Every structure is written in C-alpha cells, then in structure tokens.
Amino acid sequence: MAELDPPVLIRGGTVFDGSGQRPGLRADVLVRDGIVAQIGIDLVAPDGAAVIDATDQWVTPGFVDLHTHYDAEIEMAPALGESVRHGVTSVLVGSCGLSFAMGTPEDLADQFCRVEAVPYDTVLPLLEKIKDWETPAEYLDHLDALPLGPNVTAMFGHSAVRSAVMGLGRSVDDKARPTARELDEMTRQLHGALDAGYLGMSFNTLPWDKLDGDRFRSKSTPSVYAKWKEYRHFAKVLRARERVMQMVPDLAGRWNIPLIGVMSTGVGRKSLKMMVISMVDSVAMRGTHRIAGAMTSFLNDKLHAEMRWQSLPLPFELWVDGMEVPVMEELGAGTQALHETDLETRQALLADPAWREMFKKQWTNPLSPKAWHRDLDEPKIIDCPDASLIGRSFASVAAERGIEPLDCFLDLQAEFGNDLRWYTVVGNDRVKELEYVVDHPTVLIGFSDAGAHLRNMAYYDFPLHLFRLVVNAEADGRTLMTRERAVHRVTGEIADYLGIDAGHLEVGRRADIVVVDPATLDGRLDDITEEEMIGMPGLDRLVRRHDACVPAVLVNGRVAWHDGAFADGLGDRTGFGRLLRATT
C-alpha cells in the first residue's frame, strides 16, 4: 500500500517524550503515515524520506495552547500560522464563555468582537457568509472540514448557549432568569456538545467583558448574568461527565475565586476539573498569586479538587491604541468612553469636564480593586503624532506641563485618540515570582489569547519563554525545573488534563513534533513587530517572531514549518491539523 506522505526522519536530536518522567535522550525519530514509527539510534532513512538534522536540538511533542480565541481567525486563515511557526500543534477554541457553537451570526459577533478586540465589521459579514451549522455537533463537523494548520479542540461556550436558548436580550437582562424549560434545553445542548466531543464548558463572571453591536452594546456578556445556582447546575453535569469547566473569575474583585475553588472539590463526590484564568504576579495587587497558589494547593491536596490556573511564563505586557484595552472597562467611565464607536465622539467625551471628573473619581478610589496598576510613571508612549512624546511616560510629560499625570493622560487621549499608542506591564515582571508561578503544581502553562487582542498582546510563542526561564536558571547554576518537566508542562500535562490525544511523542502515536534550538532561547524572544492580519485588511497585529528558535514543526506527520518557511498547502488543503474530540 502506498504511503500517504513521504517518511520523515528527524536525526540526532535530544528527544523528550512529553511525559515529564524520562530525561531527554539522543535519538532519531522516524515518522510514517502521520505516526511515530520508530525512535532509536542511527535509524536508516527510508527511500524518499525527508531528513531533518536536529543535532544539538530538542525534539519534543507539539505544544498545546489551552486558551485561544481563534474562533474567528480560523475561518479566514485556518493555517493559524503564528502558532504553528512557534511549535504549537494543538489549540483550544471556545474560551471565556464565547463560542461559535450555536447562535445567529449577529448574536455571535455581538458577543465576541468587543471582548476580544477583533473587528466587528469583518466578523459579522464573515459569519453571515459561512455559517452553515445550527447545532454544536455540526459546528465541530464544520471545523473538521477546514484545512487546519494545527489540531483544534473546543470548549462549549456558556454565553453562546444561554443567548441561543433565552434570546440575547433576556440573556443579558439582570432581572431575567432562565425558565425551567430553558434550563433543561441548555442542559440538553450541553449533553449533545459533550457527546459530540467538546472538552467541557467555559464560563465568564467578569463584568467588564462587554457586548459589541448596536442592540445591547456595553452590556456584559451573557454568562456574567447567570447566578451561582445556574453555574452549579452545569458544574454538576460536567462533574458527572468528567469534563472540564473553564471559568473566568471577577479579576478585579477576585471575590468569587474561593467559590469557584469550592465548586471543584471532591469530598463525598467526584472532583471537577476546573481551569481558572489566571495566576499572575500582578503589579496592582502584589502577593495575590501566592495566596492563590496556597489556596489552590489546599483545595487540591486536602479537599480533592482538580483546580488549575492558566498562567503565562513571561511578563504580562499590553500595547494600547488610545483606550482600546479591556482593563479600561473596569471603570464605568472607561466603558462609557469605549461605548462610543465614533472616535471623534469619543474624543469629545474625553474632553468633557463632567466625564473627566467621574473618570478621575473612579480611577483614584482607594477601595476600588484593580487589574491594572494605574501608575502613570510606568507606561511609555511608543507612537504619537507628536514625536517629542515618544519614549516618555505620561508622568514625565505631565511634570513638564505642570499638571497632574491623570490630567495629562486624559489630555493626550482627547487630543490624539487611537493615534496615541502606549505600552505597559500588568504583571509577571519579577523573575523570582514568575518562577514561582510557572513551577507551581496547580498551574497549567498557557493563557495566550491567540487570535484576540490583536493590537494588545503577542503570546503565540509562550512555550519558548518557559524553556528560556529553565535554561537561564541553569546558566545561573540553579534548577528551576528539569528540562523534561518543562517540556511536559507545555505538552503532555495540558493534553492529559484536557483529555485529548496530544502532547506525547511515542511510537504508535500521532506525529505532532517540534524541533527547538535551545541555543537561541535568548533576548531575541522579546522582539516585537507588527504584521498585517490575514483576512482583516488594514489591521496590523503584534507578533513575536524568532524563527531560528523553531527549525521544524510536524503536524499529523507532515512537515508544516521548516527552516523559516511554511509548507506548501498549509491552510489551503486538509491533512495537517485535525479536530481533536474529548477522549473520555
């Protein structure tokens, strides 16, 4: 029988299997027909095989990204090349209660676009054109038919099913509750989704995630309006089905995190897999990451919870055009400004004395919890029509002008609008504390938000930053974690927790493989650039590209990326990524 694809021999690398149990060993890896056929020393290359020289390099399972919002991008550019070129071979969509699993195109665009900072005028026409599914199962079949770059798996979004069953208007009415019939229908849809292979269900309790569109603009997303009785109802289903519950807590107040943790406990009942967003060494609230770590360890160790935090292994940085960033929504006045889609109208509001007084009062309220530190001496202006301001902080400009920093911040916003671009660090800025986060046993590495916040963030390459932390510690004569554990943290550990067939490099398993050059895990990983977004003309997104770090990527046994170039057909023909359904 003819082989589906030419064999691939990866020669001479240090092979890590993704289990975290065995040190990397020098070996060759032979791939045939999408499967790891042999792992051994000095294997003979079959006739016609492509040979990849991995001398002095690591050969690992493909990385798993457990938190993306690729739901829209996958329809425009299914290669998802920014992830693939960095070694990510499996991605999860449907995070934060948002999902295209069911609902009308307008309802889905209203829920998705403002929250994830993706252009509404691109997504709505796209959905109106391509949406050919009605049920969650049909949506998975739709994804499975796309010419995927990486493998794709999905969560079932609570906001999507809530709005589809209740109607978007009722689902965002604080006084409305689902009727018994509506709750039964949502439950039926959830069971159907789990039967079809969704990993679980995602939820959101964060009030400053707002709707787009003009019908219910600036209302929170539907999942936020549910009461705890409703969350517990679905948790009971997920617990019985042994599936994952993903929850966005109220990140400003953090008041509901203990309630989320208790929901995961397994005393006298099954444990519930609970993924929570996100453990960060926050500049605004120092020490909360250690409190979160201690609390979650207690719940997992003593009360049999299965609660895990999604966390990034690098500083949490934001690049911002004007006020276009989610943290502004934690202020009511910020939401009022972002409610205005016409930028001239918004700039006029920013200059209004009454609005400014309200904004200042909310900004300076000492009792107000903060997701962002609001220290205007820290952010730097990186682009502006007034070139003399570039490279300076808002506080330094304010001092020069003889005004308060917050007045200066608002003055510049009113004057330049989205032409004012600035940079700030939200968290993970201290190496010692970042190492605490990435080493913590209750953490799952990954919170990339890939496919969203296209102008704000660039975390497509997050696994490489974990590896850099490890090799930097080794260079200092310390051990942060073993190399095999570092590989495990971004491969097998995530895949096994999610319940998908991924993350392991073993004979007989699907060949999703990455070659990493550890000698390149250096400062070049920090370089930021902007590249035009495929399918969204005129929009440049942030990316980090250090292509020498990942010489080769195989997805489903096919070379998808090699020596700085994508394979012919990636994103245009099937045979690379596939849909991964829950294995339990």
Side-chain angles (χ1 to χ4, degrees):
M1 180 180 295
E3 293 182 324
L4 298 177
D5 287 295
V8 180
L9 180 64
I10 305 173
R11 189 183 295 284
T14 300
V15 178
F16 296 89
D17 65 7
S19 71
Q21 300 301 309
R22 291 178 286 275
L25 297 174
R26 184 205 168 280
D28 304 336
V29 178
L30 177 63
V31 175
R32 288 182 184 271
D33 297 340
I35 302 298
V36 178
Q38 285 181 274
I39 300 176
I41 305 298
D42 297 330
L43 299 180
V44 176
D47 291 342
V51 178
I52 296 173
D53 182 5
T55 304
D56 298 326
Q57 297 171 350
W58 300 354
V59 180
T60 80
F63 308 141
V64 181
D65 190 340
L66 56 76
H67 189 117
T68 84
H69 290 284
Y70 271 138
D71 312 60
E73 184 176 341
I74 201 171
E75 305 294 344
M76 308 174 213
L80 303 181
E82 288 304 324
S83 288
V84 170
R85 74 193 304 152
H86 294 114
V88 173
T89 61
S90 299
V91 302
L92 184 150
V93 299
S95 298
C96 302
L98 304 172
S99 169
F100 287 174
M102 60 187 304
T104 68
E106 188 175 14
D107 285 357
L108 297 179
D110 283 2
Q111 293 170 58
F112 185 81
C113 293
R114 179 166 168 183
V115 174
E116 304 307 336
V118 177
Y120 187 85
D121 58 2
T122 298
V123 173
L124 178 56
L126 173 71
L127 285 171
E128 290 174 334
K129 179 181 179 181
I130 59 97
K131 187 174 182 294
D132 59 358
W133 62 90
E134 295 296 331
T135 69
E138 289 172 350
Y139 177 60
L140 290 190
D141 291 341
H142 165 80
L143 292 178
D144 203 16
L146 295 176
L148 301 172
N151 305 303
V152 175
T153 191
M155 300 289 285
F156 186 47
H158 181 221
S159 283
V161 66
R162 197 171 201 266
S163 61
V165 172
M166 297 177 65
L168 184 57
R170 288 190 66 243
S171 75
V172 296
D173 181 347
D174 196 40
K175 296 180 180 179
R177 301 287 179 271
T179 65
R181 181 174 295 180
E182 288 169 338
L183 190 61
D184 286 347
E185 177 60 16
M186 284 190 274
T187 306
R188 187 183 74 83
Q189 292 289 351
L190 173 58
H191 278 294
L194 299 179
D195 290 343
Y198 287 78
L199 306 188
M201 195 172 189
S202 63
F203 299 79
N204 188 9
T205 68
L206 183 59
W208 39 268
D209 282 349
K210 305 295 187 183
L211 294 184
D212 211 323
D214 55 12
R215 297 176 299 163
F216 305 101
R217 185 170 180 81
S218 297
K219 299 283 285 186
S220 298
T221 57
S223 187
V224 174
Y225 291 89
K227 300 302 179 183
W228 281 93
K229 181 179 180 181
E230 187 173 335
Y231 300 138
R232 289 195 299 269
H233 172 84
F234 292 119
K236 184 177 180 181
V237 175
L238 296 167
R239 188 190 311 275
R241 297 289 300 264
E242 298 183 352
R243 298 295 179 86
V244 179
M245 187 172 191
Q246 183 208 72
M247 181 71 82
V248 183
D250 186 341
L251 296 175
R254 296 170 172 82
W255 62 272
N256 60 8
I257 291 175
L259 297 177
I260 293 169
V262 168
M263 215 171 351
S264 177
T265 57
V267 177
R269 59 184 182 179
K270 288 183 179 179
S271 302
L272 171 64
K273 288 184 177 182
M274 177 73 75
M275 290 196 300
V276 187
I277 305 160
S278 160
M279 187 192 288
V280 178
D281 173 26
S282 170
V283 175
M285 301 182 71
R286 292 298 197 193
T288 53
H289 62 297
R290 288 189 175 259
I291 296 172
M295 179 201 76
T296 314
S297 289
F298 174 79
L299 292 172
N300 289 357
D301 296 342
K302 304 300 183 182
L303 300 181
H304 309 297
E306 287 191 68
M307 182 176 174
R308 305 292 289 271
W309 293 95
Q310 299 180 0
S311 300
L312 280 173
L314 70 160
F316 198 110
E317 304 165 296
L318 292 176
W319 287 257
V320 187
D321 296 322
M323 297 183 72
E324 298 282 352
V325 67
V327 294
M328 287 296 167
E329 303 265 24
E330 65 181 340
L331 304 175
T335 293
Q336 186 177 348
L338 291 172
H339 179 84
E340 302 295 343
T341 56
D342 180 77
L343 295 182
E344 290 186 2
T345 303
R346 183 187 298 176
Q347 287 175 258
L349 178 67
L350 299 183
D352 179 71
W355 179 89
R356 289 169 69 108
E357 186 62 29
M358 176 174 61
F359 187 91
K360 290 179 185 179
K361 184 176 180 179
Q362 294 172 1
W363 179 282
T364 58
N365 181 357
L367 301 179
S368 171
K370 295 182 290 187
W372 180 49
H373 52 77
R374 304 178 197 168
D375 175 7
L376 293 175
D377 194 40
E378 184 270 337
K380 296 296 186 292
I381 299 167
I382 57 176
D383 197 13
C384 181
D386 182 350
S388 69
L389 304 181
I390 296 174
R392 301 178 61 184
S393 72
F394 293 106
S396 70
V397 176
E400 182 181 87
R401 297 183 177 186
I403 59 177
E404 291 296 317
L406 184 52
D407 283 315
C408 180
F409 178 76
L410 294 176
D411 286 347
L412 296 179
Q413 296 284 356
E415 182 177 0
F416 300 115
N418 284 7
D419 291 331
L420 174 71
R421 187 157 173 79
W422 49 283
Y423 162 87
T424 187
V425 179
V426 174
N428 289 351
D429 54 317
R430 302 181 295 178
V431 173
K432 179 180 178 181
E433 300 306 313
L434 178 57
E435 290 183 345
Y436 169 87
V437 169
V438 301
D439 191 43
H440 202 277
T442 70
V443 159
L444 292 173
I445 300 296
F447 177 46
S448 77
D449 257 3
H453 306 292
L454 303 172
R455 298 281 297 156
N456 299 134
M457 304 190 306
Y459 301 128
Y460 302 91
D461 62 342
F462 69 91
L464 306 177
H465 291 263
L466 176 66
F467 295 165
R468 182 173 65 172
L469 286 173
V470 170
V471 299
N472 283 352
E474 292 173 355
D476 292 340
R478 300 181 295 112
T479 299
L480 169 58
M481 65 182 72
T482 63
R483 294 180 174 186
E484 57 267 24
R485 180 166 181 252
V487 171
H488 175 60
R489 299 230 78 183
V490 294
T491 58
E493 182 176 20
I494 299 171
D496 294 347
Y497 187 85
L498 295 178
I500 56 174
D501 178 19
H504 294 273
L505 203 172
E506 299 172 359
V507 172
R509 297 189 69 158
R510 189 180 63 253
D512 299 330
I513 302 175
V514 181
V515 179
V516 174
D517 184 353
T520 68
L521 296 169
D522 53 34
R524 288 172 288 180
L525 285 178
D526 299 322
D527 292 343
I528 289 283
T529 187
E530 296 181 11
E531 295 289 338
E532 184 175 356
M533 179 70 191
I534 298 174
M536 299 182 186
L539 177 64
D540 291 340
R541 70 167 162 191
L542 287 178
V543 293
R544 286 182 168 95
R545 290 182 180 172
H546 180 17
D547 291 340
C549 192
V550 181
V553 179
L554 277 67
V555 183
N556 194 25
R558 291 185 171 181
V559 177
W561 168 263
H562 188 213
D563 288 344
F566 292 113
D568 291 340
L570 185 72
D572 296 322
R573 61 182 176 89
T574 58
F576 291 93
R578 60 177 60 174
L579 182 76
L580 301 181
R581 301 177 192 264
T583 57
T584 56

